[in-house]
Amino acid sequence: MLFRSASPDAFAHVACDGSGNVVGFCATARDVGALYKRFVVRDGVVAGVVAAPRLLRSARRVLETLRYPSHGGDLPPAEVLAVAVGAAASGAGLGRRLVEASMAEVGDRAVTAVKVVAGSHNAAALALYRACDFRDAEEIEVHEGVRSTVLVWSATTGASPRSDDGGGVDA
């Protein structure tokens, strides 16, 4: 099942089980910096007011996150923002199918390279992305004192196949 966000440059693949319960998702943006800017302009005031108490407690980390897209001049603007699979669906290859469906979707949108940032200590995430043809590009610190690995997928290294149902991912 594919849901598109309010932005034409971002989308999410959402996997549901046979009962319609969400068991996983992969969110991707064609240009994360542009997505952040559009969000702030369109929804920033309302979101800021609603989230103000949490934002104030985490102001430094929020600013680090907003500054992040400026890291690395040679990195592509497109990014896998998040991948999550529920415990009940874990270990069945769902994360890989979600990432592969997202790479097929970026290919359909004429995107030739995508980055993803994962904690350098997160062996499972790094293994997932490497299995999906992402290659290590550089090490960065989005948040002070926390090492992250940036990996890049390129259409020239072999785009992931699209599933038979036109891009959806079944759990």
Side-chain angles (χ1 to χ4, degrees), residues 55-125:
L55 291 173
L56 291 173
R57 285 192 303 268
S58 305
R60 183 177 57 90
R61 291 180 68 83
V62 169
L63 291 173
E64 290 169 346
T65 299
L66 290 173
R67 269 196 319 263
Y68 149 69
S70 65
H71 287 284
D74 291 337
L75 295 173
E79 181 170 352
V80 173
L81 302 171
V83 178
V85 174
S90 183
L94 180 57
R96 184 174 182 158
R97 292 196 315 271
L98 286 163
V99 172
E100 288 174 344
S102 292
M103 294 308 94
E105 177 78 13
V106 297
D108 289 350
R109 294 170 181 238
V111 174
T112 58
V114 179
K115 69 181 172 284
V116 65
V117 179
S120 296
H121 64 282
N122 191 339

Side-chain angles (χ1 to χ4, degrees), residues 16-21 171:
C16 297
D17 64 15
S19 300
N21 299 310

Side-chain angles (χ1 to χ4, degrees), residues 1 26 37 57 59 69 73 84 89 92-93 107 119-120 131 140 146 156 167:
M1 185 176 312
C26 179
K37 288 174 189 166
R57 285 192 303 268
S120 296
I140 64 171
V146 179
T156 61

